[in-house]
Amino acid sequence: MSLYGRIFLLNAAVLVLAAGLLLGPVTVSTPVLLGEAVVVVCGLVLMLVLNALLLRVGLAPLGRLGRAMATADLLRPGTRAEVSGRGEIADLTAAFNAMLDRLEAERATSSGRVLTAQEAERQRIARELHDEVGQTLTAVLLQLRHAADHAPAELREDLRQAQETTRAGLEEIRRIARRLRPGVLEELGLHSALRSLAGELSTPGLRVTTHLAAVPRPLDPATELVVYRVAQEGLTNAARHAAAGHVDVRLGPSPGGGTRLVVRDDGRGTAGAEEGAGIGGMRERALLVGADLWIGPGEEGGTEVRLDLPGPVPEPVRAPAPDAGFAAPSAPAPGAGLAPLAVRAPVAEPVSPTDPVPPPAPTPGHER
């Protein structure tokens, strides 16, 4: 029944009850007697309560749909409104769930394209820094060295200082280029890339330790890049915003059979701060490879970033081969009227959720 029909029947039932009271043995005198007033008031209260209860039951699905709309978040997919009953409200709830499915698919596609373009732009900038700016500073460094060798003694010290400043700038540009395009990830693998990242961000005021165990199975390059970028963002946030003294990076198997990355610091925590572009970028990267990202307070304070990658999809159970001890069934006689046996096509192997996807790209900025 439609929502209009249910509300109409509810109001009609209340009005029929009121008419029954008026046409019944109940009478009202002038002036109204106390007993008559009590009967009228009780009947009115009964009608109001009955009408409120019936309307509450009839409109409850709208309240659930409204709460689902208010809490829907495309960066935390999977939450859907419950479809109950039939009619306009059930159709509206189903349409809302279908809209969420479409929006999540479109957002995943567009986010993948954006992150892929950003990663390509990072590689282009890193290559230009290395090839253009790096080569220019190298030439300047050589010219300063030549000038210092032939300069008077009173200018030689100044030229040596300019030479050291240029060398420091060249090393900084190389470090930025390495962070923009992690070549060690492509050349030596994820474990070496995480150790190199921890070494780059370790300072006298920040100690970064790594505990890297073997993962259940090798990760594809796109998934390794997601893990690296999430660890990079977590370490950068800890160094810039958390005022932490120690950060622990762990990579290994997860309880569910997949792979888990944990970045835990001993800083001041998020303190209810709103999520910035950096954390939003981590969530989008996790969605690209079907991973779950959790960010919250650690067990001993500070902030914990946990990335759970799904495990391998179990292979379908295959029927056992016939036992050699049993005789094979004899072929039917010609013309016996039996249908020929159908040849079953080979079962397709399931597609792993961690199959290669377009390589994601970084988020602009490292703010929380």
Side-chain angles (χ1 to χ4, degrees), residues 226-311:
V226 169
V227 174
Y228 179 84
R229 291 302 187 193
V230 170
Q232 184 182 41
E233 187 66 35
L235 287 173
T236 303
N237 285 337
R240 292 186 177 181
H241 308 290
H246 175 251
V247 184
D248 186 28
V249 180
R250 295 180 177 270
L251 178 69
S254 65
T259 303
R260 170 173 291 182
L261 170 73
V262 177
V263 180
R264 185 185 299 113
D265 63 62
D266 59 353
R268 58 192 175 193
T270 57
E274 295 184 358
E275 294 186 358
I279 295 180
M282 286 195 290
R283 295 194 184 280
E284 291 181 353
R285 289 180 181 279
L287 291 178
L288 291 178
V289 294
D292 294 329
L293 180 70
W294 182 85
I295 301 175
E299 298 179 356
E300 300 178 357
T303 304
E304 179 176 325
V305 178
R306 185 168 65 242
L307 179 70
D308 286 318
L309 298 167

Side-chain angles (χ1 to χ4, degrees), residues 118-136:
Q118 288 180 352
E119 192 67 26
E121 185 67 12
R122 275 185 170 232
Q123 294 181 0
R124 185 188 66 82
I125 294 175
R127 184 169 54 251
E128 291 185 357
L129 285 176
H130 182 272
D131 297 341
E132 302 295 335
V133 182
Q135 297 297 333
T136 301

Side-chain angles (χ1 to χ4, degrees), residues 12-31:
V14 173
L15 293 177
V16 168
L17 177 61
L21 291 176
L22 292 178
L23 299 177
V26 178
T27 58
V28 180
S29 304
T30 304

Side-chain angles (χ1 to χ4, degrees), residues 147-163:
D149 293 339
H150 297 83
E154 59 271 12
L155 297 178
R156 190 170 301 166
E157 184 62 28
D158 294 338
L159 290 175
R160 296 295 185 189
Q161 292 180 0
Q163 185 178 353

